Amino acid sequence: MRKLIKPAQTTPSDASMPSLNGSKGGVGHSSKHESAAKHINGSAQYIDDIPVLPNLLYVATGFSSQAHAEIKSLDLSAVKSAPGVVDVVTHLDIPGHNDVGPVYGGDPLLAEKKVEFVGQPIFAVAATSLKQAKKAVKLAKVEYQPLAAQLEIEQALAAESFVLPTHTMQIGDSEQVLNSAPHKVAGQIYVKGQEHFYLEGQISQAWPTEDGGIHVITSTQHPSEIQKLIGEILSIPLHLVVSEVRRMGGAFGGKESQAAALACMAALFANRLQRPIRYKMPRRDDMIQTGKRHDFLNKWQAGFDDTGLLQGVNFELSAKCGYSPDLSEGIVDRAMFHADNAYYLGNAKITGHRCKTHTVSNTAFRGFGGPQGMMAIEALMDEIACQLGKDPLDIRKTNLYQADRTQTHYGQDVEQQVLPELIEQLETSADYRSRRKQIQTFNQKNTYVKKGLALTPVKFGISFTVKHLNQAGALLQIYTDGTMLINHGGTEMGQGLYTKIQQVVATAFGVTIDRVNVSATRTDKVPNTSPTAASSGTDLNGMAAQNACDIIKTSLIEFAIEHYSNQDTTLTANDISFKNDLVTIGSQSIPFGEFIKLAYMNRVPLFAAGHYKTPKIFYDRDTAKGQPFLYYANGAAVSEVSVDILTGEYKVEQVDILHDVGQSLNPALDVGQIEGGFVQGMGWLTTEELSWDNKGKLISNSPANYKIPTAFDVPEKMKVDLYQQQNTEVTIHSSKAVGEPPLMLAISVWAALRDACASTTEHKFIPRLDTPATPERVFWALKECQEFMGGNKLNGQVN
């Protein structure tokens, strides 16, 4: 068994961390996840752990076997008479609006006259057990009139078939520069999507309330959208719908919009039958019926000078969106925003197509299009290096945003220049130059195993690109014993958001985190919440919680000044402090709990609603210019791989990461997010392959044929360091978001594999390497290299 080496953490330990307001376990400390013990001992309650309510029914859906067809007839008589079946519904039984689309619509809860992907729900069954429900749906008789199915990006481009209009961002005159550039290169890469593969599958439970409403507990990143869509499906006002989320067993974007169908279906049956309903998708159904990361076909033409500095570039990014818009507008926009990654483009034109295919609608996934957009520019950097005979790192450093090159292709300036210094630090700490020489020597001496090395950066914009989503609310309550309960609009999916909010509140009052409890996210506590997405969960909800703390603290300080001032002493706000579980008022200190009780007895309000909205941001789609991001999170990774050139099999030998988190709220949680994000990104780019047959049926529909990384895929040598430099923008305790950016650090693994392949040509040629870079694809990339060198040792053809 391979020995797994724990990543080095060079961030300050709790012992050396400054204590903000004397808060034990507060901001800056590596406090454990608030549910860590519950996760370990099994007491953390997920929806399927909730004790079965009396008369609970289970849901299953009957779905399309055709990618594109008209429904000629639907016979459900055998379904209705099946054992255990209590109710069967079609679109005709929906009292309100038959659509669960998150933005533009086009996602019917149940298909009407036509189906547009294999797996699209046509009818649903409620039965006394899940097994009976699943058996019953198989008894349906559906007659189809097949229609031509459009399954690939290339087909959609040829037909000019898009779910939303094409969008273009432009700066300068790229065409003129391309014509006059001393060096030119053109290329393309196909970047496949990714299955979310969250540990807890899609699930919701709903029951009717006494006032004619619905209460739903759901595994979703967006409880307010669930509330809204249930209201529309049932045609009832939103104040009769409560949507609740305590925790999710993973989400990664797959529960932002995709959870809505389950919650709405459970609510539909609960409303019809006045009984509690649980809808849990079996893993195979989940993989077939829910959206994934978008495939992208990226093409480019670029011009550059003798140093490798880009003069101009055109990118065409085409996304496989599926049959409906879902969140594809924002996803392709973000791919376009991040087409530069960390590099100044100068003159550029970026075009984004949202291609319609008769497949499940693809959706949000960690990075939200950004990773796919970055792949083109990183491939381009390697190709420039190959053409000029330079080290790819030197080409990357040459093209970085600098103090005199700050404007992006969408008009925002990169104001904080983090990456030049960060990359220099990592280049030194990872011993990049020495290892590059060692690898060159190794490759010269070894015929059948080649090594590759790559250092790639990440610059990732933080904020929702839809302006109104950049807001959050929080409700803080202090009880007379000095304990606190905070409710906010963010959702916990394992990332540690609740823990960081707990730390923020404890630090604000200078108390131990044990005094603070974070309650389940509920739409009847904090309304109109934004999804926990775009890496903004802590930025938004942390600031909202801080605002609630400030409101209460202001009232408490005013009370202390009034209550403790006398003829001899006139107190000011500067005389009052909250620290070390004490409230210091002038020369005296009072235990926090006692002071709170005194405040209550003097009728001081001990609750507050906080709110935050992100400043400065805007984007004008008509001009394709603006400032869509408040700031950028940055990072870089060095990856080393070894490749068997006879088989294409490979191993990731070593990874060194330096990642920018601003002033870390919780170093342990941040390192965990970086490790997890990197491994998930590595899976996307190496082992996780989505496959459909030529009729639009998903083949990779189970863990047996879809391979996520395991513990044995984690590099034996993996080092993660935090680049702690305060955020220059005003954020919660000067921190930076850490959820999505680390995933893109894994591009270094893909680049290292390509580097290893190119070493077989002495870096005179670099092959195309589509993703995921499975051993088979690496094998064919090696064959392309051998053909360049004039060899014919490998036979076969690329699939």
Side-chain angles (χ1 to χ4, degrees), residues 171-185 300-305 309-315 344-349 377 380 384 399:
I171 185 171
D173 189 341
S174 59
E175 294 295 340
Q176 181 179 352
V177 172
L178 283 172
N179 289 332
S180 60
H183 303 279
K184 301 181 181 67
V185 66
W300 59 88
Q301 305 88 38
F304 52 96
D305 66 16
L309 182 67
L310 280 173
Q311 304 295 296
V313 62
N314 288 340
F315 285 119
Y344 177 72
L345 301 183
N347 300 275
K349 181 180 180 181
I377 191 79
L380 174 57
I384 292 173
N399 284 284

Side-chain angles (χ1 to χ4, degrees), residues 439-497:
I439 286 171
Q440 287 174 345
T441 302
F442 177 92
N443 287 342
Q444 288 169 359
K445 293 181 177 180
N446 288 270
T447 304
Y448 300 113
V449 176
K450 301 295 182 182
K451 288 191 174 184
L453 185 71
L455 189 160
T456 61
V458 170
K459 173 185 68 67
F460 193 80
I462 304 298
S463 292
F464 286 101
T465 54
V466 177
K467 185 175 180 178
H468 73 267
L469 294 177
N470 292 282
Q471 60 175 311
L475 175 63
L476 175 63
Q477 300 166 109
I478 305 181
Y479 298 101
T480 54
D481 64 351
T483 60
M484 288 172 266
L485 183 69
I486 180 77
N487 188 280
H488 59 88
T491 56
E492 175 64 49
M493 59 199 87
Q495 82 277 37
L497 172 60

Side-chain angles (χ1 to χ4, degrees), residues 735-748:
S735 63
K736 284 189 176 183
V738 73
E740 292 172 296
L743 182 136
M744 287 146 274
L745 296 171
I747 293 173
S748 60

Side-chain angles (χ1 to χ4, degrees), residues 64 66 68-75 91 110-116 120-123 141-147:
S64 170
Q66 303 291 312
H68 191 205
E70 292 180 355
I71 300 173
K72 294 183 67 177
S73 66
L74 177 62
D75 182 357
H91 71 93
L110 293 170
E112 298 184 6
K113 298 179 180 179
K114 185 168 68 172
V115 290
E116 295 195 81
Q120 183 169 4
I122 300 172
F123 66 95
K141 296 178 181 179
V142 187
E143 186 180 359
Y144 300 99
Q145 178 61 54
L147 302 172

Side-chain angles (χ1 to χ4, degrees), residues 761 763-766 782-791:
T761 71
H763 293 95
K764 295 174 183 176
F765 171 79
I766 189 163
L782 288 163
K783 180 179 185 298
E784 191 179 355
C785 290
Q786 291 189 344
E787 289 174 347
F788 172 82
M789 298 296 286

Side-chain angles (χ1 to χ4, degrees), residues 354-414:
R354 295 147 180 87
C355 299
K356 174 163 182 166
T357 54
H358 294 110
T359 53
V360 65
S361 259
N362 287 321
T363 191
F365 200 129
R366 199 173 191 173
F368 206 73
Q372 298 98 306
M374 290 180 186
M375 288 298 294
I377 191 79
E378 292 302 335
L380 174 57
M381 290 293 113
D382 289 336
E383 289 170 5
I384 292 173
C386 181
Q387 194 170 130
L388 295 178
K390 293 179 179 286
D391 189 311
L393 176 57
D394 293 327
I395 300 300
R396 288 181 164 93
K397 290 168 69 173
T398 295
N399 284 284
L400 289 174
Y401 283 98
Q402 305 281 355
D404 60 341
R405 304 199 305 265
T406 63
Q407 192 176 54
T408 64
H409 52 284
Y410 46 90
Q412 179 165 347
D413 285 323
V414 181

Side-chain angles (χ1 to χ4, degrees), residues 534-561:
S535 302
S536 64
T538 302
D539 280 12
L540 295 177
N541 295 286
M543 290 293 272
Q546 182 73 58
N547 180 236
C549 294
D550 291 344
I551 292 170
I552 296 178
K553 282 181 71 176
T554 298
S555 297
L556 291 173
I557 290 170
E558 290 173 353
F559 160 68
I561 292 172

Side-chain angles (χ1 to χ4, degrees), residues 152-174:
E152 303 297 341
I153 289 175
E154 293 87 344
Q155 293 174 308
L157 289 172
E160 296 186 353
S161 178
F162 307 119
V163 296
L164 290 168
T166 292
H167 186 51
T168 300
M169 300 176 187
Q170 189 165 355
I171 185 171
D173 189 341
S174 59

